[in-house]
Amino acid sequence: MEIERETVVLVVEHEVGCPLGRLEPLLAEARLDIRRPWAGDPLPSGRDALDGVDALVVLGGEMAAWDDDVAPWLPATRALLARAASGGVPALGLCLGAQLLALATGGRVERGAVGPEAGLLPVRASAAGRSDALVGAVVASLGQEWTAAQSHGDAITALPADAELLASSDLYPVQALRVGERAWGVQYHPEVVPADLLRWLRDGHTEQLAARGSTLEAERVAVADAEPSLAELASVHARVLLEQTRRQTTIGGGRRR
């Protein structure tokens, strides 16, 4: 007889300034195994790396998806994402995490040709996205176009062979993708809390804001006004991830126990 156990979500944090944020309380029904390799935490590796793991979340960071010299844990992170995608383990990559997912499964990631995308900007679901478990849930809650927090300069420029394009923005065509059945990447930041987003914009994106006629103060007002929809966006991502763990009967090739 199988013995039920708690749900375990493995989280990879790349730097102190890009935490789990809004998603942490929303995933509280699970046990969060937060690994901080930048602080020396080891990442699981090998064929059994995801044994006992019900879902994987990979957060954002300032390094590029190919910056293995800067962040020597990136190869292990890509391996975890590739294993999740091939093994049907629910996974969610956020910004850098989405780029790592694409790179790990045969896609291409490069410096964005149009420059950084920053601030609150619209994202639109694709036809495939409208029927997807994650993006379809966002559409059901917020409509076919929603506002999302952006702070990135790299781009997924070629999808993996078995990926679906789920959402796009004006500047960056790949805003959401799914690889396999349950591995999602989103270029935007559903997890970021207002204070962190405004800090990112202040420290690295004032020129981009000015170029589109915005300011840090205008973004502050926009973030406050958009709070209900931003909170709902985070809630949908957490809810779908947890729902997908409940559908799982195998984790990393082994039975859930």
Side-chain angles (χ1 to χ4, degrees):
M1 184 177 71
E2 285 198 17
I3 301 172
E4 288 297 319
R5 63 164 176 81
E6 64 185 341
T7 298
V8 176
V9 177
L10 175 64
V11 180
V12 180
E13 180 186 286
H14 297 289
E15 60 186 64
V16 68
C18 295
L20 196 52
R22 292 179 188 269
L23 294 182
E24 187 160 0
L26 296 170
L27 296 173
E29 71 176 61
R31 179 169 70 82
L32 298 176
D33 181 3
I34 301 177
R35 303 292 180 98
R36 298 179 172 92
W38 58 268
D41 291 347
L43 294 180
S45 61
R47 295 183 60 186
D48 60 351
L50 293 177
D51 280 2
V53 172
D54 298 285
L56 171 66
V57 177
V58 178
L59 300 174
E62 291 190 56
M63 66 286 293
W66 58 85
D67 269 345
D68 296 0
D69 290 342
V70 174
W73 59 86
L74 291 183
T77 306
R78 293 194 297 269
L80 286 172
L81 286 162
R83 185 162 293 278
S86 64
V89 177
L92 179 61
L94 307 176
C95 196
L96 171 63
Q99 297 162 8
L100 288 165
L101 171 64
L103 204 58
T105 54
R108 185 167 67 244
V109 181
E110 301 173 287
R111 296 293 186 202
V114 294
E117 186 176 42
L120 292 186
L121 294 166
V123 173
R124 292 175 298 278
S126 68
R130 292 193 289 272
S131 61
D132 175 72
L134 175 61
V135 172
V138 174
V139 169
S141 184
L142 296 172
Q144 295 189 42
E145 181 174 291
W146 61 94
T147 297
Q150 303 279 3
S151 179
H152 69 99
D154 294 343
I156 298 167
T157 55
L159 291 173
D162 60 345
E164 287 274 7
L165 175 64
L166 305 176
S168 300
S169 69
D170 289 339
L171 287 178
Y172 282 79
V174 182
Q175 283 289 331
L177 73 155
R178 188 189 70 251
V179 183
E181 294 183 8
R182 298 186 180 91
W184 287 276
V186 296
Q187 185 60 75
Y188 54 88
H189 285 275
E191 87 290 0
V192 67
V193 299
D196 283 343
L197 175 59
L198 292 168
R199 175 174 51 80
W200 296 349
L201 297 179
R202 180 199 68 205
D203 292 348
H205 294 299
T206 54
E207 290 184 7
Q208 285 75 44
L209 296 180
R212 61 180 175 87
S214 186
T215 64
L216 188 60
E217 183 54 34
E219 293 297 314
R220 191 186 312 277
V221 172
V223 168
D225 289 346
E227 177 56 28
S229 64
L230 296 175
E232 178 62 14
L233 185 63
S235 179
V236 171
H237 284 71
R239 172 170 56 80
V240 171
L241 187 68
L242 291 173
E243 287 173 352
Q244 291 297 314
T245 69
R246 299 184 192 110
R247 294 184 57 190
Q248 285 291 93
T249 58
T250 60
I251 301 297
R255 295 292 297 175
R256 286 189 60 178
R257 301 197 182 277

